[in-house]
Amino acid sequence: MKTFAFLLALPISILANFSLRASADSTAGIILSTQCQGGYNINIWQNYTNGELLYRATSANGNLSLGKGTNQATEGVRVYKFRNGIYEYWVWDGTLDNPQSGTLEVYKNNRIFMKQACRKS
């Protein structure tokens, strides 16, 4: 009985894994991918249907997914902003000196909490 359950569950698990990944990739396109100091990997996605901006970060400290971001051009550099409770995450797409670099800024209660240099990947 255990072998039968395992053989039944395995194909369903594999199918679900591939289906979910393909579905996620087909609903949004990546518009910015950065690697930041401190081991933070950040991707900004844009939903094809409604234009919503999505923030996906991975690090040794954990993973974070946020939606409903905004973006604006500031002094010729685009900045993406996302809020999560008392935290705000700003991802700068380049700098005036180097368009291949950027910055991750994290604000807590409207005060700078962390700032990391990034490079586009």
Side-chain angles (χ1 to χ4, degrees), residues 69-95:
T70 62
N71 74 77
Q72 65 187 50
T74 304
E75 298 177 12
V77 177
R78 186 150 304 275
V79 61
Y80 299 91
K81 299 179 181 181
F82 298 86
R83 180 173 286 283
N84 184 24
I86 61 171
Y87 293 94
E88 206 169 319
Y89 300 83
W90 292 19
V91 181
W92 293 85
D93 185 1
T95 65

PDB file of all heavy atoms in Angstrom, residues 69-95:
ATOM      1  N   GLY A  69       4.070  47.321  -5.884  1.00  0.00           N
ATOM      2  CA  GLY A  69       5.152  48.294  -5.868  1.00  0.00           C
ATOM      3  C   GLY A  69       4.869  49.479  -6.775  1.00  0.00           C
ATOM      4  O   GLY A  69       3.957  49.457  -7.602  1.00  0.00           O
ATOM      5  N   THR A  70       5.657  50.512  -6.592  1.00  0.00           N
ATOM      6  CA  THR A  70       5.589  51.691  -7.451  1.00  0.00           C
ATOM      7  C   THR A  70       6.972  51.941  -8.013  1.00  0.00           C
ATOM      8  O   THR A  70       7.968  51.391  -7.527  1.00  0.00           O
ATOM      9  CB  THR A  70       5.134  52.936  -6.659  1.00  0.00           C
ATOM     10  OG1 THR A  70       6.100  53.216  -5.645  1.00  0.00           O
ATOM     11  CG2 THR A  70       3.767  52.731  -6.031  1.00  0.00           C
ATOM     12  N   ASN A  71       7.038  52.756  -9.052  1.00  0.00           N
ATOM     13  CA  ASN A  71       8.337  53.138  -9.579  1.00  0.00           C
ATOM     14  C   ASN A  71       8.280  54.563 -10.066  1.00  0.00           C
ATOM     15  O   ASN A  71       7.220  55.073 -10.411  1.00  0.00           O
ATOM     16  CB  ASN A  71       8.798  52.173 -10.678  1.00  0.00           C
ATOM     17  CG  ASN A  71       8.068  52.367 -11.970  1.00  0.00           C
ATOM     18  OD1 ASN A  71       8.348  53.309 -12.700  1.00  0.00           O
ATOM     19  ND2 ASN A  71       7.145  51.487 -12.289  1.00  0.00           N
ATOM     20  N   GLN A  72       9.430  55.203 -10.046  1.00  0.00           N
ATOM     21  CA  GLN A  72       9.524  56.574 -10.542  1.00  0.00           C
ATOM     22  C   GLN A  72      10.957  56.830 -10.971  1.00  0.00           C
ATOM     23  O   GLN A  72      11.878  56.181 -10.490  1.00  0.00           O
ATOM     24  CB  GLN A  72       9.100  57.578  -9.474  1.00  0.00           C
ATOM     25  CG  GLN A  72      10.014  57.616  -8.262  1.00  0.00           C
ATOM     26  CD  GLN A  72       9.481  58.492  -7.154  1.00  0.00           C
ATOM     27  OE1 GLN A  72       8.332  58.354  -6.764  1.00  0.00           O
ATOM     28  NE2 GLN A  72      10.314  59.387  -6.639  1.00  0.00           N
ATOM     29  N   ALA A  73      11.122  57.765 -11.877  1.00  0.00           N
ATOM     30  CA  ALA A  73      12.453  58.191 -12.295  1.00  0.00           C
ATOM     31  C   ALA A  73      12.868  59.359 -11.415  1.00  0.00           C
ATOM     32  O   ALA A  73      12.130  60.323 -11.260  1.00  0.00           O
ATOM     33  CB  ALA A  73      12.442  58.595 -13.763  1.00  0.00           C
ATOM     34  N   THR A  74      14.027  59.225 -10.785  1.00  0.00           N
ATOM     35  CA  THR A  74      14.560  60.272  -9.917  1.00  0.00           C
ATOM     36  C   THR A  74      15.961  60.609 -10.394  1.00  0.00           C
ATOM     37  O   THR A  74      16.838  59.756 -10.369  1.00  0.00           O
ATOM     38  CB  THR A  74      14.603  59.778  -8.457  1.00  0.00           C
ATOM     39  OG1 THR A  74      13.294  59.365  -8.087  1.00  0.00           O
ATOM     40  CG2 THR A  74      15.074  60.856  -7.520  1.00  0.00           C
ATOM     41  N   GLU A  75      16.158  61.836 -10.844  1.00  0.00           N
ATOM     42  CA  GLU A  75      17.455  62.285 -11.341  1.00  0.00           C
ATOM     43  C   GLU A  75      18.009  61.337 -12.402  1.00  0.00           C
ATOM     44  O   GLU A  75      19.192  61.003 -12.407  1.00  0.00           O
ATOM     45  CB  GLU A  75      18.443  62.440 -10.182  1.00  0.00           C
ATOM     46  CG  GLU A  75      18.015  63.473  -9.177  1.00  0.00           C
ATOM     47  CD  GLU A  75      18.965  63.577  -7.993  1.00  0.00           C
ATOM     48  OE1 GLU A  75      20.078  63.013  -8.067  1.00  0.00           O
ATOM     49  OE2 GLU A  75      18.597  64.211  -7.011  1.00  0.00           O
ATOM     50  N   GLY A  76      17.156  60.837 -13.275  1.00  0.00           N
ATOM     51  CA  GLY A  76      17.573  59.975 -14.365  1.00  0.00           C
ATOM     52  C   GLY A  76      17.765  58.516 -13.994  1.00  0.00           C
ATOM     53  O   GLY A  76      18.175  57.724 -14.822  1.00  0.00           O
ATOM     54  N   VAL A  77      17.469  58.148 -12.759  1.00  0.00           N
ATOM     55  CA  VAL A  77      17.609  56.767 -12.306  1.00  0.00           C
ATOM     56  C   VAL A  77      16.246  56.289 -11.818  1.00  0.00           C
ATOM     57  O   VAL A  77      15.548  56.999 -11.099  1.00  0.00           O
ATOM     58  CB  VAL A  77      18.655  56.656 -11.165  1.00  0.00           C
ATOM     59  CG1 VAL A  77      18.742  55.234 -10.660  1.00  0.00           C
ATOM     60  CG2 VAL A  77      20.007  57.141 -11.631  1.00  0.00           C
ATOM     61  N   ARG A  78      15.864  55.075 -12.211  1.00  0.00           N
ATOM     62  CA  ARG A  78      14.573  54.525 -11.796  1.00  0.00           C
ATOM     63  C   ARG A  78      14.697  53.883 -10.417  1.00  0.00           C
ATOM     64  O   ARG A  78      15.669  53.183 -10.139  1.00  0.00           O
ATOM     65  CB  ARG A  78      14.082  53.496 -12.809  1.00  0.00           C
ATOM     66  CG  ARG A  78      12.684  52.995 -12.497  1.00  0.00           C
ATOM     67  CD  ARG A  78      11.913  52.599 -13.725  1.00  0.00           C
ATOM     68  NE  ARG A  78      11.798  53.642 -14.722  1.00  0.00           N
ATOM     69  CZ  ARG A  78      10.866  54.601 -14.718  1.00  0.00           C
ATOM     70  NH1 ARG A  78       9.990  54.670 -13.753  1.00  0.00           N
ATOM     71  NH2 ARG A  78      10.820  55.483 -15.686  1.00  0.00           N
ATOM     72  N   VAL A  79      13.704  54.125  -9.569  1.00  0.00           N
ATOM     73  CA  VAL A  79      13.663  53.515  -8.241  1.00  0.00           C
ATOM     74  C   VAL A  79      12.325  52.792  -8.083  1.00  0.00           C
ATOM     75  O   VAL A  79      11.273  53.313  -8.448  1.00  0.00           O
ATOM     76  CB  VAL A  79      13.883  54.558  -7.110  1.00  0.00           C
ATOM     77  CG1 VAL A  79      12.817  55.630  -7.119  1.00  0.00           C
ATOM     78  CG2 VAL A  79      13.943  53.881  -5.755  1.00  0.00           C
ATOM     79  N   TYR A  80      12.399  51.553  -7.586  1.00  0.00           N
ATOM     80  CA  TYR A  80      11.223  50.733  -7.327  1.00  0.00           C
ATOM     81  C   TYR A  80      11.009  50.697  -5.819  1.00  0.00           C
ATOM     82  O   TYR A  80      11.944  50.443  -5.065  1.00  0.00           O
ATOM     83  CB  TYR A  80      11.424  49.317  -7.868  1.00  0.00           C
ATOM     84  CG  TYR A  80      11.637  49.299  -9.362  1.00  0.00           C
ATOM     85  CD1 TYR A  80      12.920  49.364  -9.908  1.00  0.00           C
ATOM     86  CD2 TYR A  80      10.555  49.247 -10.223  1.00  0.00           C
ATOM     87  CE1 TYR A  80      13.115  49.361 -11.278  1.00  0.00           C
ATOM     88  CE2 TYR A  80      10.738  49.250 -11.602  1.00  0.00           C
ATOM     89  CZ  TYR A  80      12.023  49.308 -12.113  1.00  0.00           C
ATOM     90  OH  TYR A  80      12.204  49.320 -13.467  1.00  0.00           O
ATOM     91  N   LYS A  81       9.769  50.943  -5.379  1.00  0.00           N
ATOM     92  CA  LYS A  81       9.470  51.026  -3.950  1.00  0.00           C
ATOM     93  C   LYS A  81       8.372  50.027  -3.577  1.00  0.00           C
ATOM     94  O   LYS A  81       7.364  49.917  -4.278  1.00  0.00           O
ATOM     95  CB  LYS A  81       9.014  52.435  -3.575  1.00  0.00           C
ATOM     96  CG  LYS A  81      10.065  53.500  -3.844  1.00  0.00           C
ATOM     97  CD  LYS A  81       9.546  54.875  -3.486  1.00  0.00           C
ATOM     98  CE  LYS A  81      10.586  55.949  -3.783  1.00  0.00           C
ATOM     99  NZ  LYS A  81      10.110  57.281  -3.413  1.00  0.00           N
ATOM    100  N   PHE A  82       8.596  49.353  -2.442  1.00  0.00           N
ATOM    101  CA  PHE A  82       7.648  48.368  -1.938  1.00  0.00           C
ATOM    102  C   PHE A  82       7.527  48.545  -0.426  1.00  0.00           C
ATOM    103  O   PHE A  82       8.499  48.862   0.241  1.00  0.00           O
ATOM    104  CB  PHE A  82       8.134  46.942  -2.240  1.00  0.00           C
ATOM    105  CG  PHE A  82       8.259  46.663  -3.706  1.00  0.00           C
ATOM    106  CD1 PHE A  82       9.424  47.000  -4.381  1.00  0.00           C
ATOM    107  CD2 PHE A  82       7.222  46.091  -4.407  1.00  0.00           C
ATOM    108  CE1 PHE A  82       9.552  46.763  -5.737  1.00  0.00           C
ATOM    109  CE2 PHE A  82       7.339  45.850  -5.768  1.00  0.00           C
ATOM    110  CZ  PHE A  82       8.507  46.187  -6.430  1.00  0.00           C
ATOM    111  N   ARG A  83       6.327  48.320   0.092  1.00  0.00           N
ATOM    112  CA  ARG A  83       6.080  48.488   1.528  1.00  0.00           C
ATOM    113  C   ARG A  83       5.654  47.147   2.127  1.00  0.00           C
ATOM    114  O   ARG A  83       4.924  46.373   1.520  1.00  0.00           O
ATOM    115  CB  ARG A  83       4.983  49.516   1.750  1.00  0.00           C
ATOM    116  CG  ARG A  83       4.659  49.755   3.220  1.00  0.00           C
ATOM    117  CD  ARG A  83       3.694  50.898   3.424  1.00  0.00           C
ATOM    118  NE  ARG A  83       4.319  52.188   3.224  1.00  0.00           N
ATOM    119  CZ  ARG A  83       5.126  52.792   4.096  1.00  0.00           C
ATOM    120  NH1 ARG A  83       5.432  52.190   5.216  1.00  0.00           N
ATOM    121  NH2 ARG A  83       5.621  53.982   3.852  1.00  0.00           N
ATOM    122  N   ASN A  84       6.143  46.915   3.359  1.00  0.00           N
ATOM    123  CA  ASN A  84       5.759  45.737   4.122  1.00  0.00           C
ATOM    124  C   ASN A  84       5.676  46.150   5.592  1.00  0.00           C
ATOM    125  O   ASN A  84       6.679  46.167   6.289  1.00  0.00           O
ATOM    126  CB  ASN A  84       6.775  44.608   3.932  1.00  0.00           C
ATOM    127  CG  ASN A  84       6.361  43.340   4.633  1.00  0.00           C
ATOM    128  OD1 ASN A  84       5.188  43.109   4.890  1.00  0.00           O
ATOM    129  ND2 ASN A  84       7.331  42.505   4.960  1.00  0.00           N
ATOM    130  N   GLY A  85       4.505  46.537   6.052  1.00  0.00           N
ATOM    131  CA  GLY A  85       4.328  47.001   7.421  1.00  0.00           C
ATOM    132  C   GLY A  85       5.109  48.283   7.670  1.00  0.00           C
ATOM    133  O   GLY A  85       4.937  49.264   6.956  1.00  0.00           O
ATOM    134  N   ILE A  86       6.011  48.258   8.648  1.00  0.00           N
ATOM    135  CA  ILE A  86       6.804  49.447   8.976  1.00  0.00           C
ATOM    136  C   ILE A  86       8.073  49.548   8.119  1.00  0.00           C
ATOM    137  O   ILE A  86       8.851  50.483   8.276  1.00  0.00           O
ATOM    138  CB  ILE A  86       7.174  49.471  10.475  1.00  0.00           C
ATOM    139  CG1 ILE A  86       8.011  48.257  10.848  1.00  0.00           C
ATOM    140  CG2 ILE A  86       5.930  49.589  11.331  1.00  0.00           C
ATOM    141  CD1 ILE A  86       8.590  48.312  12.259  1.00  0.00           C
ATOM    142  N   TYR A  87       8.270  48.595   7.213  1.00  0.00           N
ATOM    143  CA  TYR A  87       9.456  48.584   6.353  1.00  0.00           C
ATOM    144  C   TYR A  87       9.109  49.032   4.937  1.00  0.00           C
ATOM    145  O   TYR A  87       8.038  48.735   4.435  1.00  0.00           O
ATOM    146  CB  TYR A  87      10.061  47.178   6.288  1.00  0.00           C
ATOM    147  CG  TYR A  87      10.638  46.723   7.602  1.00  0.00           C
ATOM    148  CD1 TYR A  87       9.874  45.960   8.481  1.00  0.00           C
ATOM    149  CD2 TYR A  87      11.936  47.057   7.970  1.00  0.00           C
ATOM    150  CE1 TYR A  87      10.389  45.541   9.689  1.00  0.00           C
ATOM    151  CE2 TYR A  87      12.465  46.636   9.180  1.00  0.00           C
ATOM    152  CZ  TYR A  87      11.691  45.882  10.032  1.00  0.00           C
ATOM    153  OH  TYR A  87      12.201  45.472  11.237  1.00  0.00           O
ATOM    154  N   GLU A  88      10.045  49.738   4.342  1.00  0.00           N
ATOM    155  CA  GLU A  88       9.922  50.126   2.947  1.00  0.00           C
ATOM    156  C   GLU A  88      11.218  49.718   2.245  1.00  0.00           C
ATOM    157  O   GLU A  88      12.307  49.942   2.772  1.00  0.00           O
ATOM    158  CB  GLU A  88       9.709  51.635   2.828  1.00  0.00           C
ATOM    159  CG  GLU A  88       8.974  52.014   1.579  1.00  0.00           C
ATOM    160  CD  GLU A  88       8.532  53.466   1.588  1.00  0.00           C
ATOM    161  OE1 GLU A  88       8.073  53.960   2.634  1.00  0.00           O
ATOM    162  OE2 GLU A  88       8.671  54.092   0.531  1.00  0.00           O
ATOM    163  N   TYR A  89      11.093  49.107   1.073  1.00  0.00           N
ATOM    164  CA  TYR A  89      12.230  48.603   0.312  1.00  0.00           C
ATOM    165  C   TYR A  89      12.351  49.413  -0.976  1.00  0.00           C
ATOM    166  O   TYR A  89      11.401  49.478  -1.749  1.00  0.00           O
ATOM    167  CB  TYR A  89      12.034  47.123  -0.016  1.00  0.00           C
ATOM    168  CG  TYR A  89      11.903  46.269   1.225  1.00  0.00           C
ATOM    169  CD1 TYR A  89      10.683  46.147   1.888  1.00  0.00           C
ATOM    170  CD2 TYR A  89      13.000  45.609   1.745  1.00  0.00           C
ATOM    171  CE1 TYR A  89      10.567  45.396   3.040  1.00  0.00           C
ATOM    172  CE2 TYR A  89      12.891  44.840   2.894  1.00  0.00           C
ATOM    173  CZ  TYR A  89      11.674  44.741   3.531  1.00  0.00           C
ATOM    174  OH  TYR A  89      11.565  43.994   4.677  1.00  0.00           O
ATOM    175  N   TRP A  90      13.495  50.029  -1.167  1.00  0.00           N
ATOM    176  CA  TRP A  90      13.762  50.802  -2.372  1.00  0.00           C
ATOM    177  C   TRP A  90      14.886  50.110  -3.131  1.00  0.00           C
ATOM    178  O   TRP A  90      15.953  49.840  -2.570  1.00  0.00           O
ATOM    179  CB  TRP A  90      14.207  52.218  -2.043  1.00  0.00           C
ATOM    180  CG  TRP A  90      13.176  53.097  -1.424  1.00  0.00           C
ATOM    181  CD1 TRP A  90      12.023  52.734  -0.803  1.00  0.00           C
ATOM    182  CD2 TRP A  90      13.231  54.521  -1.353  1.00  0.00           C
ATOM    183  NE1 TRP A  90      11.353  53.842  -0.344  1.00  0.00           N
ATOM    184  CE2 TRP A  90      12.077  54.950  -0.670  1.00  0.00           C
ATOM    185  CE3 TRP A  90      14.150  55.471  -1.787  1.00  0.00           C
ATOM    186  CZ2 TRP A  90      11.807  56.290  -0.423  1.00  0.00           C
ATOM    187  CZ3 TRP A  90      13.888  56.805  -1.548  1.00  0.00           C
ATOM    188  CH2 TRP A  90      12.728  57.207  -0.878  1.00  0.00           C
ATOM    189  N   VAL A  91      14.651  49.845  -4.412  1.00  0.00           N
ATOM    190  CA  VAL A  91      15.673  49.251  -5.267  1.00  0.00           C
ATOM    191  C   VAL A  91      15.968  50.242  -6.385  1.00  0.00           C
ATOM    192  O   VAL A  91      15.091  50.560  -7.189  1.00  0.00           O
ATOM    193  CB  VAL A  91      15.203  47.900  -5.850  1.00  0.00           C
ATOM    194  CG1 VAL A  91      16.300  47.285  -6.714  1.00  0.00           C
ATOM    195  CG2 VAL A  91      14.805  46.946  -4.737  1.00  0.00           C
ATOM    196  N   TRP A  92      17.199  50.746  -6.407  1.00  0.00           N
ATOM    197  CA  TRP A  92      17.632  51.718  -7.404  1.00  0.00           C
ATOM    198  C   TRP A  92      18.202  50.973  -8.601  1.00  0.00           C
ATOM    199  O   TRP A  92      19.108  50.151  -8.455  1.00  0.00           O
ATOM    200  CB  TRP A  92      18.676  52.654  -6.812  1.00  0.00           C
ATOM    201  CG  TRP A  92      18.125  53.536  -5.734  1.00  0.00           C
ATOM    202  CD1 TRP A  92      17.990  53.236  -4.412  1.00  0.00           C
ATOM    203  CD2 TRP A  92      17.620  54.862  -5.894  1.00  0.00           C
ATOM    204  NE1 TRP A  92      17.433  54.298  -3.741  1.00  0.00           N
ATOM    205  CE2 TRP A  92      17.193  55.312  -4.628  1.00  0.00           C
ATOM    206  CE3 TRP A  92      17.485  55.712  -6.995  1.00  0.00           C
ATOM    207  CZ2 TRP A  92      16.643  56.570  -4.420  1.00  0.00           C
ATOM    208  CZ3 TRP A  92      16.940  56.964  -6.788  1.00  0.00           C
ATOM    209  CH2 TRP A  92      16.521  57.393  -5.519  1.00  0.00           C
ATOM    210  N   ASP A  93      17.687  51.270  -9.777  1.00  0.00           N
ATOM    211  CA  ASP A  93      18.109  50.633 -11.028  1.00  0.00           C
ATOM    212  C   ASP A  93      19.228  51.465 -11.648  1.00  0.00           C
ATOM    213  O   ASP A  93      18.993  52.293 -12.522  1.00  0.00           O
ATOM    214  CB  ASP A  93      16.920  50.522 -11.975  1.00  0.00           C
ATOM    215  CG  ASP A  93      17.255  49.772 -13.253  1.00  0.00           C
ATOM    216  OD1 ASP A  93      18.403  49.321 -13.411  1.00  0.00           O
ATOM    217  OD2 ASP A  93      16.356  49.639 -14.098  1.00  0.00           O
ATOM    218  N   GLY A  94      20.452  51.279 -11.147  1.00  0.00           N
ATOM    219  CA  GLY A  94      21.598  52.020 -11.647  1.00  0.00           C
ATOM    220  C   GLY A  94      21.903  53.233 -10.790  1.00  0.00           C
ATOM    221  O   GLY A  94      21.213  53.533  -9.823  1.00  0.00           O
ATOM    222  N   THR A  95      22.993  53.897 -11.146  1.00  0.00           N
ATOM    223  CA  THR A  95      23.367  55.167 -10.526  1.00  0.00           C
ATOM    224  C   THR A  95      23.720  56.122 -11.649  1.00  0.00           C
ATOM    225  O   THR A  95      23.874  55.713 -12.805  1.00  0.00           O
ATOM    226  CB  THR A  95      24.590  55.016  -9.589  1.00  0.00           C
ATOM    227  OG1 THR A  95      25.734  54.649 -10.375  1.00  0.00           O
ATOM    228  CG2 THR A  95      24.349  53.970  -8.509  1.00  0.00           C
TER     229      THR A  95
END
